[in-house]
Amino acid sequence: MSENKIQSEDLLAHKWDRVISNFVVKTGLGLSVGIVASALLFKKRTWPIAISTGWGFGAAYADAERVFHPHHVPGVEFHKEEPSV
């Protein structure tokens, strides 16, 4: 057996870590952009905050779909490998 194989639990944990950190960063960035836009451009209305936070959440969700289901991405092909003895 090869010792550099990654166990499935570690692979899943790595995916979840990436998805959660991506969610926090993109949603936080959307919230920040919404607050700045609301304060500077839209006379302190709340809809820019909601729109940009939703945009960040949606972008993070789309990335999570790509991480957990890469076969749904257009142009990606998977080939079966023959088992090696």
Side-chain angles (χ1 to χ4, degrees):
M1 284 253 160
S2 176
E3 292 190 25
N4 59 354
K5 286 192 175 184
I6 300 173
Q7 292 185 359
S8 62
E9 295 88 7
D10 294 337
L11 184 63
L12 188 61
H14 178 70
K15 285 182 179 183
W16 272 110
D17 288 344
R18 181 176 172 195
V19 165
I20 290 171
S21 66
N22 201 4
F23 168 76
V24 169
V25 168
K26 289 190 179 186
T27 305
L29 185 62
L31 179 68
S32 301
V33 168
I35 290 171
V36 170
S38 175
L40 296 179
L41 300 174
F42 297 107
K43 299 180 184 177
K44 297 184 182 177
R45 305 221 188 249
T46 57
W47 64 267
I49 299 170
I51 296 281
S52 60
T53 303
W55 174 80
F57 180 80
Y61 183 81
D63 284 346
E65 283 289 317
R66 281 192 226 74
V67 167
F68 285 112
H69 304 290
H71 57 277
H72 290 171
V73 177
V76 173
E77 295 179 13
F78 291 96
H79 302 285
K80 284 193 169 189
E81 293 182 9
E82 293 295 323
S84 60
V85 179

